[in-house]
Amino acid sequence: SSLKLVVQEHGIKNTVSVFFNMFIGLIIMVYVLYKRDFIVAGAKRVVYAIFSRKAAKKIFEEVNYANKVFTNFFTGKLLDSFIVGILCYVGSAFLLRIQYPYSFLAAIFIGVTNIVPFFGPIVGAIVTIIMMFFVSPIKSIYYAVFVFVLQQFDGNILGPKILGNATGVDNFYVLCSTLLFGGLFGFAGMLLAVPVWAVLSRIVNEIVNIELKKKNLPTEVEQYEE
């Protein structure tokens, strides 16, 4: 009984700690948003003091590009995942007649994991299919087909319509960046991989183009294909 009490106290402390950190984070976020103009002005002042005017303008150009990429990616991805979650719930609850708790949980899990590029939908599909199997093996087969169709619809129609070319990152580099950042930083790395890769690749590409121009060499990738 004493061990059970210790475990319960530990669980309560962890829960309180999580909500406390969320509360502090919310306060900081509101304060930063309120002081946004002042913080941005202070940062510009420091950058102009350290760098030349030309370099400072270039830095601000890259920062604005990064802000645009991150904003477009996450707003588009959240909207896309929200729609996918709703479609998953409607399909599993009304088309497949899967009872409420399981259809709702599956929709939430599918929607949340869909935020992570490439691997998220795969993980979401596998976990929810296994869950449905324990509810009804027959319905889990129909559910697996439904999820496959839903993900094809999202990947080929819905996602491109909402996200468009928000990051400009090729699918191959989406896979590479997700694996790399996921291995280094876990879930957060997988979530941030694509926009971070887009920003870093733009910076590297501009540096490479500058150096190639200095050597009077072509900057187009096609020129180097054999």
Side-chain angles (χ1 to χ4, degrees):
S1 58
S2 59
L3 178 61
K4 184 178 180 180
L5 182 62
V6 170
V7 171
Q8 289 178 345
E9 289 180 354
H10 183 69
I12 293 172
K13 287 181 180 179
N14 286 340
T15 304
V16 171
S17 176
V18 168
F19 280 101
F20 178 77
N21 291 334
M22 290 175 63
F23 179 71
I24 295 298
L26 181 63
I27 293 176
I28 294 174
M29 180 185 71
V30 172
Y31 182 78
V32 169
L33 289 175
Y34 178 73
K35 289 287 188 178
R36 179 179 178 275
D37 293 337
F38 177 77
I39 294 172
V40 170
K44 285 184 176 180
R45 179 172 174 269
V46 172
V47 172
Y48 274 118
I50 297 175
F51 301 96
S52 66
R53 180 169 295 185
K54 182 179 180 181
K57 287 183 177 179
K58 187 61 180 175
I59 290 173
F60 295 137
E61 180 184 329
E62 297 302 326
V63 170
N64 288 333
Y65 173 78
N67 179 61
K68 180 181 177 182
V69 167
F70 274 82
T71 301
N72 291 344
F73 177 78
F74 282 109
T75 53
K77 201 65 179 172
L78 287 173
L79 177 60
D80 174 59
S81 298
F82 179 72
I83 295 174
V84 167
I86 291 177
L87 292 176
C88 181
Y89 176 72
V90 171
S92 57
F94 297 100
L95 295 179
L96 303 180
R97 302 292 182 180
I98 296 173
Q99 55 191 20
Y100 168 73
Y102 304 104
S103 59
F104 182 74
L105 287 174
I108 293 294
F109 199 80
I110 287 289
V112 171
T113 54
N114 192 69
I115 298 174
V116 178
F118 194 83
F119 294 104
I122 298 175
V123 173
I126 293 174
V127 172
T128 53
I129 289 169
I130 293 173
M131 180 181 72
M132 293 302 176
F133 178 81
F134 287 105
V135 176
S136 172
I138 298 299
K139 286 188 177 181
S140 69
I141 298 175
Y142 297 138
Y143 176 80
V145 174
F146 167 71
V147 169
F148 176 78
V149 173
L150 177 61
Q151 291 183 349
Q152 293 304 308
F153 167 73
D154 178 48
N156 296 296
I157 299 175
L158 181 63
K161 284 288 184 182
I162 295 176
L163 289 169
N165 198 24
T167 60
V169 179
D170 185 79
N171 288 334
F172 173 75
Y173 293 111
V174 170
L175 173 60
C176 292
S177 61
T178 305
L179 284 172
L180 176 62
F181 285 87
L184 293 174
F185 307 108
F187 178 78
M190 297 179 73
L191 194 62
L192 297 171
V194 176
V196 169
W197 187 281
V199 173
L200 293 179
S201 63
R202 171 185 162 97
I203 295 173
V204 171
N205 188 56
E206 290 188 352
I207 294 173
V208 170
N209 286 343
I210 291 172
E211 295 301 319
L212 288 174
K213 287 178 181 179
K214 288 180 181 179
K215 299 178 180 180
N216 294 321
L217 293 171
T219 57
E220 296 80 8
V221 177
E222 293 76 10
Q223 297 292 327
Y224 296 89
E225 293 180 354
E226 295 182 356

